[in-house]
Amino acid sequence: MDIEKLYEMLRKVQEPKGYYFSNDKERTFELLEGLLQNKERYGYMACPCRLASGEREWDKDIICPCVYREPDVEEYGSCYCNLYVSEKWNQGKIQHAHVPERRPPEKIRF
């Protein structure tokens, strides 16, 4: 799958749920490329902003969209990577603050 196809497929599924890609299309495409690389490397689309272990069960919390996306977007208007954002975030109506890592330290092995 190429990046454009992945972009369109995910956009159509996620926007109705209130999750938008960042307006920074260059950054968005870099992140989508990372997802595709992780799919090729591990067999699943692990978050491109975190180090995956290669063990699907261990990494299930960071398979995109990760389990942290909903609370991140709710609290900060953006997920950890800034791949998925709220409409208000894209419109500049809320501050673009640093999103702290929510993944528990024991899950970060590397």
Side-chain angles (χ1 to χ4, degrees):
M1 177 178 293
D2 72 9
I3 295 169
E4 278 285 342
K5 285 181 183 175
L6 181 61
Y7 177 88
E8 284 304 318
M9 181 186 75
L10 293 176
R11 186 185 64 75
K12 287 177 185 175
V13 171
Q14 299 302 326
E15 282 187 3
K17 298 176 184 177
Y19 299 103
Y20 300 85
F21 285 128
S22 167
N23 285 339
D24 183 346
K25 202 164 185 179
E26 183 178 335
R27 172 80 174 138
T28 297
F29 274 53
E30 287 172 3
L31 293 168
L32 292 175
E33 183 177 359
L35 286 174
L36 291 174
Q37 288 171 348
N38 284 343
K39 180 155 178 67
E40 188 174 309
R41 186 179 295 139
Y42 305 118
Y44 52 92
M45 291 196 294
C47 173
C49 301
R50 296 176 169 103
L51 288 173
S53 69
E55 298 172 31
R56 186 182 185 95
E57 188 61 29
W58 183 264
D59 291 338
K60 68 182 179 181
D61 63 320
I62 60 167
I63 295 174
C64 190
C66 73
V67 300
Y68 312 106
R69 177 185 71 169
E70 185 176 341
D72 285 350
V73 173
E74 189 174 311
E75 186 172 349
Y76 299 98
S78 170
C79 72
Y80 182 69
C81 294
N82 301 134
L83 176 62
Y84 288 110
V85 301
S86 69
E87 197 168 26
K88 288 181 179 181
W89 194 91
N90 262 345
Q91 294 168 346
K93 293 181 178 179
I94 58 173
Q95 182 182 359
H96 293 190
H98 169 73
V99 179
E101 176 62 272
R102 289 184 193 262
R103 195 172 200 214
E106 64 271 12
K107 294 286 272 187
I108 305 169
R109 296 191 197 172
F110 307 95

